[in-house]
Amino acid sequence: MAKVTRDDVARLAGTSTAVVSYVINNGPRPVAPATKERVLAAIKELGYRPDRVAQAMASRRTDLIGLIVPDARQPFFAEMAHAVEQAAAERGKMVLVGNSDYLDEREVHYLRAFLGMRVSGLILISSGPSEHAATEIDAWDARVVLLHRRPEAIDDVAVVVDDVGGAQLATRHLLEHGHDYVACLGGVDSTPESGDPVTDHVEGWSRAMREAGRSAEGRLFKAPYNRYDTYLLALDLLSGPDRPPAVFCSTDDQAFGVLRAARELGIDVPRELAVAGFDDVKEAGLSDPPLTTVGSDRESMARAAVDLVLDDGLRVAGSRRERVRLFPSGLVVRHSCGCV
């Protein structure tokens, strides 16, 4: 059976192959509704399937968006990846996901792989300072949008949340419950140069403590980002003689580890220990007790990142348009802080 071609569709629909192309690709020129209906009917009748590989070779772009995350097993990154996939589908694109595992060389590996596949654009949740990633992006002259994190080394459009302000909200709220101070679980290797949101969470905590006239000295603890290793750290922290009355965790996953350790040690949360996190992953509402945390509109952030990476006007006169889109953060109050 002969392969159905675009010429066959155009012949049956009584139009040109260019118009068929406009219908299939949803542009770049509009098509009258009646003509579009004829083309779609012809496609259905003939069983025509566009050759996406040929289209990509002709346009030097695919219908793919690359997304690099540090670890899709973590709830925050899993939910963000899902939101990006949904937003991309609304634009007729598919998403390729790569996990950097917080390793610079794996981040560069996926950058090369995705850009070599001629993706329409790339969304990067960077895992570090990313000097090598910056070099790779410049070499490809690629469309890249940073999401969640904006390392200083990469001078590209970014979609981020107000991490400092959100951490301040959470810490103030814990202090308003009458606690003498609030301890903080930060990151292991966070630095201002890395653009790590956890660095901003620590800064927000520190500002709230200063505003309340409380010392932060000796009350910041380096913790892994995952709940399992944080649980082990929290067992030591909470069983010691200087157990804090309240803890602000830079991620919800860390907070889940603290809650598990407290339960194992017989410490009542929130009567004996108040806990707050950051990210508002879906699991936060199901933890025991439900976790007070800081949330943001991930769906809108993902949609903004997809729109920006597909926007032909992203590069304007050699500079970047709307370089940083800052989304607000808000406190999501549940029971772990002492509120009913």
Side-chain angles (χ1 to χ4, degrees):
M1 184 175 179
K3 181 180 178 180
V4 178
T5 68
R6 194 168 299 187
D7 287 337
D8 296 326
V9 174
R11 191 177 303 111
L12 181 59
T15 186
S16 67
T17 54
V19 170
V20 173
S21 177
Y22 300 154
V23 172
I24 293 171
N25 297 307
N26 197 28
R29 295 184 180 179
V31 177
T35 304
K36 183 175 182 179
E37 286 183 14
R38 293 203 312 273
V39 171
L40 293 174
I43 289 173
K44 184 177 181 180
E45 180 178 338
L46 295 172
Y48 173 68
R49 297 291 181 269
D51 187 337
R52 296 299 184 187
V53 174
Q55 288 178 327
M57 291 177 65
S59 65
R60 298 183 65 81
R61 294 288 179 193
T62 65
D63 285 334
L64 302 172
I65 293 175
L67 171 64
I68 302 174
V69 300
D71 186 352
R73 295 171 299 180
Q74 294 186 21
F76 175 82
F77 296 124
E79 292 181 18
M80 185 62 85
H82 184 265
V84 168
E85 185 179 23
Q86 294 297 103
E90 294 173 4
R91 297 288 303 269
K93 304 293 182 181
M94 293 184 292
V95 177
L96 297 173
V97 180
N99 289 268
S100 68
D101 291 329
Y102 293 98
L103 298 174
D104 194 40
E105 59 269 25
R106 285 189 64 83
E107 186 172 278
V108 171
H109 163 75
Y110 278 114
L111 274 168
R112 289 174 178 165
F114 290 165
L115 295 175
M117 294 169 68
R118 297 293 180 183
V119 293
S120 294
L122 193 141
I123 297 173
L124 171 62
I125 302 180
S126 184
S127 57
S130 301
E131 287 88 355
H132 294 102
T135 301
E136 200 68 31
I137 292 168
D138 288 342
W140 284 88
D141 192 29
R143 291 186 179 194
V144 176
V145 170
L146 302 169
L147 180 59
H148 175 61
R149 180 176 188 166
R150 191 171 192 267
E152 287 189 356
I154 305 179
D155 188 24
D156 281 83
V157 171
V159 177
V160 296
V161 71
D162 183 5
D163 290 295
V164 174
Q168 282 182 280
L169 285 174
T171 307
R172 285 173 189 156
H173 185 77
L174 291 174
L175 290 169
E176 286 168 359
H177 276 276
H179 301 297
D180 291 336
Y181 70 93
V182 176
C184 176
L185 295 190
V188 177
D189 299 312
S190 300
T191 64
E193 294 77 19
S194 70
D196 186 353
V198 169
T199 301
D200 289 340
H201 298 171
V202 172
E203 175 61 25
W205 163 78
S206 179
R207 289 184 188 181
M209 290 281 282
R210 287 198 304 270
E211 290 169 357
R214 315 292 168 84
S215 173
E217 185 175 353
R219 290 165 178 170
L220 171 63
F221 301 90
K222 292 185 176 182
Y225 294 137
N226 69 81
R227 69 188 69 185
Y228 311 105
D229 292 329
T230 299
Y231 153 75
L232 297 175
L233 180 147
L235 285 176
D236 289 336
L237 176 64
L238 300 181
S239 60
D242 298 322
R243 186 182 78 205
V247 179
F248 165 65
C249 302
S250 294
T251 72
D252 284 350
D253 236 27
Q254 290 174 329
F256 297 146
V258 171
L259 292 177
R260 170 60 189 267
R263 184 164 57 253
E264 191 167 305
L265 294 169
I267 298 170
D268 186 282
V269 177
R271 283 195 304 153
E272 297 176 278
L273 174 71
V275 180
F278 201 113
D279 288 333
D280 192 30
V281 299
K282 293 187 184 301
E283 189 180 348
L286 299 175
S287 61
D288 184 19
L291 181 65
T292 292
T293 183
V294 178
S296 58
D297 188 347
R298 273 192 289 278
E299 287 73 22
S300 293
M301 291 178 66
R303 191 170 292 108
V306 169
D307 288 345
L308 283 168
V309 86
L310 297 177
D311 185 0
D312 288 332
L314 189 61
R315 296 175 183 270
V316 179
S319 64
R320 296 284 185 164
R321 180 167 59 80
E322 298 180 356
R323 302 185 72 79
V324 179
R325 289 197 181 179
L326 182 66
F327 280 73
S329 54
L331 190 65
V332 182
V333 176
R334 298 190 180 99
H335 188 54
S336 68
C337 63
C339 292
V340 178

